[in-house]
Amino acid sequence: MNPLKLLETTPGTFSLLLDAGTTQVDELIEESGHEPNGYFWEGVARFLVSTEAPTLKERFEYDSEGGMFCACGDDREALQDLAELMSAVATDETRLRGLIAAAEAAGFEFDD
C-alpha cells in the first residue's frame, strides 16, 4: 500500500491518504505536464475507479487538497481496494505513463 496510508480517523470512519510530492513518480508527473499534488492524485483515483473498478464508485468520498490526496468513508474494504490500485500507479513509472496516456485518449482531465 506504499506510499498510501489507511487510517481509522474516528470509530468506523476511515481515510486513505497520500502526501503529495512524496512518490517515486513525481518527476514523471511533472514531465507529463502535471503537478504531483493531491488533486492530480484524486484524478488518478477517479480514473482508476471509472475504468478498472466501477464497483468502488460512490462507496467513499474525496476530500483532497493541494498537499494531500484523501478519500474517506465508512467502507474500509473499498478504501483498501482503492489503495491497492493507486499504489501500483504511485510506484511504477510504466503503469503511470499508461494511465496518463489512457486518460488523455479518453478526454479525461486531471484537476491539478
Coordinates of all heavy atoms in Angstrom, one line a residue, residues 19-84:
D19 N 0.5 11.7 0.9 CA 1.2 13.0 0.9 C 1.7 13.4 -0.5 O 2.6 12.7 -1.0 CB 2.3 13.0 1.9 CG 1.8 13.0 3.4 OD1 0.7 13.5 3.7 OD2 2.5 12.3 4.2
A20 N 1.1 14.4 -1.1 CA 1.5 14.8 -2.4 C 3.0 15.2 -2.5 O 3.5 15.8 -1.5 CB 0.6 15.9 -2.9
G21 N 3.6 14.9 -3.6 CA 5.0 15.3 -3.7 C 6.0 14.4 -3.1 O 7.2 14.7 -2.9
T22 N 5.6 13.2 -2.6 CA 6.5 12.3 -1.9 C 6.6 10.9 -2.6 O 7.2 10.0 -2.1 CB 6.0 12.0 -0.5 OG1 4.7 11.4 -0.6 CG2 5.9 13.3 0.3
T23 N 6.0 10.8 -3.9 CA 6.1 9.5 -4.5 C 7.3 9.4 -5.4 O 7.9 10.4 -5.8 CB 4.8 9.2 -5.4 OG1 4.9 10.0 -6.5 CG2 3.6 9.5 -4.6
Q24 N 7.6 8.2 -5.8 CA 8.8 7.9 -6.7 C 8.5 8.3 -8.1 O 9.4 8.2 -9.0 CB 9.3 6.5 -6.5 CG 8.3 5.4 -6.9 CD 8.8 4.1 -6.4 OE1 9.1 3.9 -5.2 NE2 8.8 3.1 -7.3
V25 N 7.3 8.7 -8.4 CA 6.9 9.0 -9.8 C 6.6 10.5 -10.0 O 6.1 10.9 -11.0 CB 5.7 8.2 -10.3 CG1 6.0 6.7 -10.3 CG2 4.5 8.4 -9.4
D26 N 6.9 11.3 -9.0 CA 6.7 12.8 -9.0 C 7.4 13.4 -10.3 O 6.8 14.3 -10.9 CB 7.1 13.5 -7.8 CG 6.2 13.2 -6.6 OD1 5.1 12.6 -6.8 OD2 6.7 13.4 -5.4
E27 N 8.6 13.0 -10.5 CA 9.3 13.6 -11.7 C 8.6 13.3 -13.0 O 8.4 14.2 -13.8 CB 10.7 13.1 -11.7 CG 11.6 13.9 -12.6 CD 13.1 13.5 -12.4 OE1 13.6 13.4 -11.3 OE2 13.7 13.2 -13.5
L28 N 8.1 12.1 -13.1 CA 7.4 11.7 -14.3 C 6.1 12.5 -14.5 O 5.7 12.9 -15.5 CB 7.1 10.2 -14.3 CG 6.2 9.7 -15.5 CD1 6.8 10.0 -16.8 CD2 5.9 8.2 -15.3
I29 N 5.4 12.7 -13.3 CA 4.2 13.5 -13.3 C 4.5 14.9 -13.9 O 3.8 15.4 -14.8 CB 3.6 13.6 -11.9 CG1 3.1 12.2 -11.5 CG2 2.4 14.6 -11.9 CD1 2.7 12.1 -10.0
E30 N 5.5 15.5 -13.4 CA 5.9 16.9 -13.9 C 6.3 16.8 -15.3 O 5.9 17.7 -16.1 CB 7.0 17.4 -13.0 CG 6.6 17.7 -11.6 CD 7.7 18.1 -10.7 OE1 8.9 17.9 -11.0 OE2 7.4 18.7 -9.6
E31 N 7.1 15.8 -15.8 CA 7.4 15.7 -17.2 C 6.2 15.6 -18.1 O 6.3 15.9 -19.2 CB 8.4 14.5 -17.4 CG 9.8 14.7 -16.8 CD 10.6 13.4 -16.8 OE1 10.1 12.4 -17.3 OE2 11.7 13.5 -16.2
S32 N 5.2 15.0 -17.5 CA 3.9 14.8 -18.3 C 3.0 16.1 -18.3 O 1.9 16.0 -18.9 CB 3.1 13.7 -17.7 OG 3.9 12.5 -17.7
G33 N 3.5 17.2 -17.7 CA 2.8 18.4 -17.7 C 1.8 18.6 -16.6 O 0.9 19.4 -16.6
H34 N 1.9 17.8 -15.5 CA 1.0 17.8 -14.4 C 1.8 18.2 -13.1 O 3.0 18.2 -13.1 CB 0.3 16.5 -14.2 CG -0.5 16.1 -15.4 ND1 -1.7 16.7 -15.7 CD2 -0.3 15.2 -16.4 CE1 -2.2 16.2 -16.8 NE2 -1.4 15.3 -17.2
E35 N 1.0 18.5 -12.1 CA 1.6 18.8 -10.8 C 1.3 17.6 -9.9 O 0.2 17.2 -9.8 CB 1.0 20.1 -10.2 CG 1.4 21.3 -10.9 CD 0.9 22.6 -10.2 OE1 1.0 22.6 -9.0 OE2 0.4 23.4 -10.9
P36 N 2.3 17.1 -9.2 CA 2.1 15.9 -8.3 C 1.4 16.4 -7.0 O 2.0 16.2 -5.9 CB 3.5 15.4 -8.1 CG 4.4 16.6 -8.2 CD 3.7 17.5 -9.2
N37 N 0.2 16.9 -7.1 CA -0.5 17.4 -5.9 C -1.6 16.5 -5.6 O -1.9 15.5 -6.3 CB -0.9 18.9 -6.1 CG -1.8 19.1 -7.2 OD1 -2.6 18.2 -7.6 ND2 -1.8 20.3 -7.8
G38 N -2.4 16.8 -4.5 CA -3.5 16.0 -4.1 C -4.6 15.9 -5.2 O -5.2 14.9 -5.3
Y39 N -4.8 17.0 -5.9 CA -5.8 17.0 -6.9 C -5.5 16.1 -8.1 O -6.3 15.4 -8.7 CB -6.1 18.4 -7.4 CG -6.5 19.3 -6.3 CD1 -5.7 20.4 -5.9 CD2 -7.7 19.1 -5.6 CE1 -6.0 21.2 -4.9 CE2 -8.0 19.9 -4.5 CZ -7.2 21.0 -4.2 OH -7.6 21.8 -3.1
F40 N -4.2 16.0 -8.5 CA -3.7 15.1 -9.5 C -4.0 13.7 -9.1 O -4.6 12.9 -9.8 CB -2.2 15.3 -9.8 CG -1.7 14.2 -10.8 CD1 -1.9 14.3 -12.1 CD2 -1.1 13.1 -10.3 CE1 -1.5 13.3 -13.0 CE2 -0.7 12.1 -11.1 CZ -0.8 12.2 -12.5
W41 N -3.7 13.4 -7.8 CA -3.9 12.0 -7.4 C -5.4 11.7 -7.2 O -5.8 10.5 -7.4 CB -3.1 11.8 -6.0 CG -1.7 11.6 -6.3 CD1 -0.7 12.5 -6.0 CD2 -1.1 10.5 -7.0 NE1 0.5 12.0 -6.5 CE2 0.3 10.8 -7.1 CE3 -1.5 9.3 -7.5 CZ2 1.2 9.9 -7.7 CZ3 -0.6 8.5 -8.1 CH2 0.7 8.8 -8.2
E42 N -6.2 12.7 -6.9 CA -7.6 12.4 -6.9 C -8.1 12.1 -8.3 O -8.9 11.2 -8.5 CB -8.4 13.6 -6.4 CG -9.9 13.4 -6.3 CD -10.7 14.5 -5.7 OE1 -10.2 15.1 -4.7 OE2 -11.8 14.8 -6.2
G43 N -7.5 12.8 -9.3 CA -7.8 12.4 -10.7 C -7.4 11.0 -11.1 O -8.2 10.3 -11.7
V44 N -6.3 10.6 -10.6 CA -5.8 9.2 -10.8 C -6.9 8.3 -10.2 O -7.3 7.3 -10.8 CB -4.4 9.0 -10.2 CG1 -4.1 7.5 -10.1 CG2 -3.4 9.8 -11.0
A45 N -7.3 8.5 -9.0 CA -8.2 7.7 -8.3 C -9.6 7.6 -9.1 O -10.1 6.5 -9.3 CB -8.5 8.2 -6.9
R46 N -10.1 8.8 -9.5 CA -11.3 8.8 -10.2 C -11.2 8.0 -11.5 O -12.1 7.3 -11.9 CB -11.8 10.3 -10.4 CG -12.2 11.0 -9.2 CD -12.6 12.4 -9.5 NE -13.0 13.1 -8.3 CZ -14.2 13.1 -7.7 NH1 -15.1 12.3 -8.2 NH2 -14.5 13.8 -6.6
F47 N -10.1 8.2 -12.2 CA -9.9 7.5 -13.5 C -9.8 6.0 -13.3 O -10.4 5.2 -14.0 CB -8.7 8.0 -14.2 CG -8.6 7.5 -15.6 CD1 -9.4 8.0 -16.6 CD2 -7.7 6.5 -16.0 CE1 -9.3 7.4 -17.9 CE2 -7.6 6.0 -17.2 CZ -8.4 6.5 -18.2
L48 N -9.1 5.6 -12.2 CA -9.0 4.2 -11.9 C -10.3 3.6 -11.6 O -10.7 2.5 -12.1 CB -8.0 3.9 -10.8 CG -6.5 4.1 -11.1 CD1 -5.7 4.1 -9.8 CD2 -6.0 3.0 -12.0
V49 N -11.1 4.3 -10.8 CA -12.4 3.7 -10.4 C -13.3 3.6 -11.6 O -14.0 2.6 -11.8 CB -13.1 4.6 -9.3 CG1 -14.5 4.3 -9.1 CG2 -12.3 4.5 -8.0
S50 N -13.3 4.6 -12.5 CA -14.2 4.6 -13.7 C -13.8 3.6 -14.7 O -14.6 3.0 -15.4 CB -14.2 6.0 -14.3 OG -13.0 6.3 -14.9
T51 N -12.5 3.3 -14.8 CA -12.0 2.3 -15.8 C -11.7 0.9 -15.4 O -11.8 0.0 -16.1 CB -10.8 2.9 -16.5 OG1 -9.7 3.1 -15.6 CG2 -11.1 4.2 -17.2
E52 N -11.3 0.8 -14.1 CA -10.8 -0.5 -13.6 C -11.6 -1.1 -12.5 O -11.5 -2.3 -12.2 CB -9.3 -0.4 -13.2 CG -8.4 -0.1 -14.4 CD -7.0 -0.1 -14.0 OE1 -6.6 -0.7 -13.0 OE2 -6.2 0.6 -14.7
A53 N -12.3 -0.2 -11.7 CA -13.0 -0.7 -10.5 C -14.3 0.0 -10.3 O -14.6 0.7 -9.3 CB -12.1 -0.5 -9.3
P54 N -15.2 -0.1 -11.3 CA -16.5 0.7 -11.2 C -17.3 0.2 -10.0 O -18.2 1.0 -9.6 CB -17.2 0.4 -12.5 CG -16.6 -0.8 -13.1 CD -15.1 -0.8 -12.6
T55 N -17.1 -0.9 -9.4 CA -17.8 -1.3 -8.2 C -17.5 -0.5 -7.0 O -18.2 -0.5 -6.0 CB -17.6 -2.8 -7.9 OG1 -16.2 -3.0 -7.6 CG2 -18.1 -3.7 -9.0
L56 N -16.4 0.3 -7.1 CA -16.0 1.2 -6.0 C -16.7 2.5 -6.0 O -16.7 3.3 -5.1 CB -14.5 1.4 -6.0 CG -13.6 0.2 -5.7 CD1 -12.1 0.6 -5.8 CD2 -13.9 -0.5 -4.4
K57 N -17.3 2.8 -7.2 CA -17.9 4.1 -7.3 C -19.0 4.4 -6.3 O -19.8 3.5 -6.0 CB -18.6 4.2 -8.7 CG -19.0 5.6 -9.1 CD -19.5 5.7 -10.5 CE -19.9 7.1 -10.8 NZ -20.2 7.3 -12.2
E58 N -18.9 5.6 -5.7 CA -19.9 6.0 -4.7 C -19.8 5.3 -3.3 O -20.7 5.3 -2.5 CB -21.3 6.0 -5.2 CG -21.4 7.0 -6.4 CD -22.8 7.0 -6.9 OE1 -23.8 6.7 -6.2 OE2 -23.0 7.5 -8.1
R59 N -18.7 4.5 -3.1 CA -18.5 3.8 -1.8 C -17.7 4.6 -0.9 O -17.5 4.2 0.3 CB -17.9 2.4 -2.1 CG -18.9 1.5 -2.8 CD -18.4 0.2 -3.1 NE -17.9 -0.6 -2.0 CZ -17.2 -1.7 -2.1 NH1 -16.9 -2.2 -3.2 NH2 -16.9 -2.3 -1.0
F60 N -17.2 5.8 -1.3 CA -16.4 6.7 -0.5 C -16.4 8.1 -1.1 O -16.9 8.2 -2.2 CB -14.9 6.2 -0.3 CG -14.3 5.8 -1.6 CD1 -13.8 6.7 -2.4 CD2 -14.2 4.5 -1.9 CE1 -13.2 6.4 -3.6 CE2 -13.6 4.1 -3.1 CZ -13.1 5.0 -4.0
E61 N -15.9 9.1 -0.4 CA -15.9 10.4 -0.9 C -14.5 10.9 -1.0 O -13.6 10.4 -0.3 CB -16.7 11.4 0.1 CG -18.1 11.0 0.2 CD -18.9 12.0 1.1 OE1 -18.3 13.0 1.6 OE2 -20.0 11.7 1.4
Y62 N -14.2 11.9 -1.8 CA -12.9 12.5 -1.9 C -12.9 13.8 -1.1 O -13.9 14.6 -1.1 CB -12.6 12.8 -3.4 CG -12.5 11.5 -4.2 CD1 -13.6 11.2 -5.0 CD2 -11.4 10.7 -4.2 CE1 -13.6 10.0 -5.8 CE2 -11.4 9.6 -5.0 CZ -12.4 9.2 -5.8 OH -12.4 8.1 -6.5
D63 N -11.7 14.1 -0.5 CA -11.6 15.3 0.2 C -10.1 15.8 0.1 O -9.4 16.0 1.1 CB -11.9 15.1 1.7 CG -12.0 16.4 2.5 OD1 -12.1 17.5 1.8 OD2 -11.9 16.4 3.7
S64 N -9.6 15.8 -1.1 CA -8.2 16.2 -1.4 C -8.0 17.7 -1.3 O -8.9 18.5 -1.4 CB -7.8 15.7 -2.8 OG -8.0 14.3 -2.9
E65 N -6.7 18.0 -1.1 CA -6.3 19.4 -1.2 C -4.9 19.4 -1.9 O -4.4 18.3 -2.3 CB -6.2 20.0 0.2 CG -5.5 19.2 1.2 CD -5.7 19.7 2.6 OE1 -6.8 19.8 3.1 OE2 -4.6 19.9 3.3
G66 N -4.3 20.5 -2.0 CA -3.1 20.7 -2.8 C -2.0 19.7 -2.3 O -1.3 19.1 -3.0
G67 N -1.8 19.6 -1.0 CA -0.7 18.9 -0.4 C -1.0 17.4 -0.1 O -0.1 16.7 0.4
M68 N -2.3 17.0 -0.3 CA -2.6 15.7 0.1 C -3.8 15.1 -0.7 O -4.8 15.8 -0.9 CB -3.0 15.7 1.6 CG -3.4 14.4 2.2 SD -3.9 14.5 3.9 CE -5.3 15.6 3.8
F69 N -3.7 13.9 -1.1 CA -4.9 13.1 -1.6 C -5.6 12.5 -0.4 O -5.0 12.0 0.5 CB -4.4 12.0 -2.5 CG -5.5 11.0 -2.8 CD1 -6.5 11.2 -3.7 CD2 -5.5 9.8 -2.1 CE1 -7.6 10.3 -3.9 CE2 -6.6 8.9 -2.3 CZ -7.6 9.1 -3.2
C70 N -6.9 12.6 -0.4 CA -7.7 12.0 0.6 C -9.0 11.4 0.1 O -9.7 12.1 -0.6 CB -8.0 13.0 1.7 SG -9.0 12.3 3.1
A71 N -9.3 10.1 0.4 CA -10.6 9.5 0.2 C -11.0 9.0 1.5 O -10.2 8.5 2.3 CB -10.5 8.4 -0.8
C72 N -12.3 9.2 1.8 CA -12.8 8.8 3.2 C -14.2 8.3 3.1 O -14.9 8.5 2.2 CB -12.7 10.0 4.1 SG -13.5 11.5 3.5
G73 N -14.5 7.5 4.2 CA -15.8 6.9 4.3 C -15.8 5.8 5.3 O -14.8 5.6 6.0
D74 N -16.9 5.1 5.4 CA -17.0 4.0 6.4 C -16.8 2.6 5.8 O -16.8 1.6 6.5 CB -18.4 4.1 7.1 CG -19.6 3.9 6.1 OD1 -19.3 3.7 4.9 OD2 -20.7 4.1 6.6
D75 N -16.5 2.6 4.5 CA -16.3 1.3 3.8 C -14.8 1.0 3.7 O -14.1 1.4 2.7 CB -16.9 1.3 2.4 CG -17.0 0.0 1.7 OD1 -16.2 -0.9 2.1 OD2 -17.8 -0.2 0.8
R76 N -14.2 0.4 4.7 CA -12.8 0.2 4.8 C -12.3 -0.7 3.6 O -11.3 -0.5 3.0 CB -12.4 -0.5 6.1 CG -10.9 -0.7 6.3 CD -10.6 -1.4 7.6 NE -9.2 -1.2 8.0 CZ -8.2 -1.8 7.4 NH1 -8.4 -2.5 6.3 NH2 -7.0 -1.6 7.8
E77 N -13.1 -1.7 3.3 CA -12.7 -2.6 2.2 C -12.6 -1.8 0.8 O -11.7 -2.1 0.1 CB -13.8 -3.7 2.0 CG -13.4 -4.7 1.0 CD -14.4 -5.8 0.9 OE1 -15.1 -6.2 1.9 OE2 -14.6 -6.3 -0.3
A78 N -13.5 -0.9 0.6 CA -13.5 -0.2 -0.7 C -12.2 0.7 -0.7 O -11.5 0.8 -1.7 CB -14.7 0.7 -0.8
L79 N -11.9 1.3 0.4 CA -10.7 2.2 0.5 C -9.4 1.3 0.4 O -8.5 1.8 -0.2 CB -10.7 3.0 1.8 CG -11.8 4.1 1.9 CD1 -11.9 4.6 3.3 CD2 -11.5 5.2 0.9
Q80 N -9.4 0.1 0.9 CA -8.3 -0.8 0.8 C -8.1 -1.1 -0.7 O -7.0 -1.2 -1.2 CB -8.5 -2.0 1.7 CG -7.4 -3.0 1.6 CD -6.1 -2.6 2.2 OE1 -6.1 -1.9 3.3 NE2 -5.0 -2.8 1.6
D81 N -9.2 -1.4 -1.4 CA -9.1 -1.8 -2.8 C -8.6 -0.6 -3.6 O -7.7 -0.8 -4.5 CB -10.5 -2.2 -3.3 CG -11.0 -3.5 -2.8 OD1 -10.2 -4.3 -2.2 OD2 -12.2 -3.8 -2.9
L82 N -9.0 0.6 -3.3 CA -8.5 1.8 -4.0 C -7.0 2.0 -3.7 O -6.2 2.3 -4.6 CB -9.3 3.0 -3.5 CG -8.8 4.4 -4.1 CD1 -8.9 4.3 -5.7 CD2 -9.6 5.5 -3.5
A83 N -6.6 1.7 -2.4 CA -5.2 1.9 -2.1 C -4.3 0.9 -2.9 O -3.3 1.3 -3.4 CB -5.0 1.6 -0.6
E84 N -4.8 -0.3 -3.1 CA -4.0 -1.2 -3.9 C -3.9 -0.8 -5.4 O -2.8 -0.8 -6.0 CB -4.6 -2.6 -3.8 CG -4.5 -3.2 -2.5 CD -5.3 -4.5 -2.3 OE1 -5.7 -5.1 -3.3 OE2 -5.5 -4.9 -1.1

